[in-house]
Amino acid sequence: MRVVDTSAWIEWLIASPAGGAVAALLPGRGQWLVPTLVQLELAKWLTQEAGEDKADQVIAFTETCVVAPLDTPIALAAADLCARRKLATADAVVYATARAFGADLLTCDRHFKGLPGVRLVPKAKN
C-alpha cells in the first residue's frame, strides 16, 4: 500500500514536473491508502484553488480508495513523531498512518527525507 501525501497530490493535479514523476509512482486504486487528514487538506486546497466541483471530484475518487481514519493508536504514534522527529502535526499524522498500515509514503516534502518507507519526489527549484 502507498499513502500519497497532499504535496504529491497537488504536484500531480497541477501537472508540474514533479507531478509527472509522482504519476509514475501512483499505486493501483486498491493499494492507494488515503488518510482522512489528506482528504481534509485536499478539499481545502482544491476548493480554494480549483473550485468546489473539482474538490468534489477528487474527494469522490479518494473514497474509492482505502480510506484510513485518524484513530487513537495513530494519534499517539503521531504525537511521538512530533516529539522525536520534529514533524508538524499534519505530517506526523500522515506518516503515522502510513506506518500503521505498513504502507510507504509518496511525498514531495523534504522534511520527510531520510525517514523509513518514504519515496521522496523533490519539487523543481524555481
Side-chain angles (χ1 to χ4, degrees), residues 10 28 32 54 72 75 78-79 97 102 106 115 118 126:
I10 290 170
W32 196 314
K54 183 67 172 179
T72 301
T97 302
L106 177 60
L115 292 175
V118 170
N126 294 343

Side-chain angles (χ1 to χ4, degrees), residues 2-3 14 18-19 38 54 76 81 86 91-92 97-98 112 123:
R2 176 164 291 162
V3 171
I14 66 172
V38 169
K54 183 67 172 179
L76 295 175
L81 286 164
K86 307 297 185 224
D91 293 329
T97 302
F112 288 110
K123 294 179 193 176

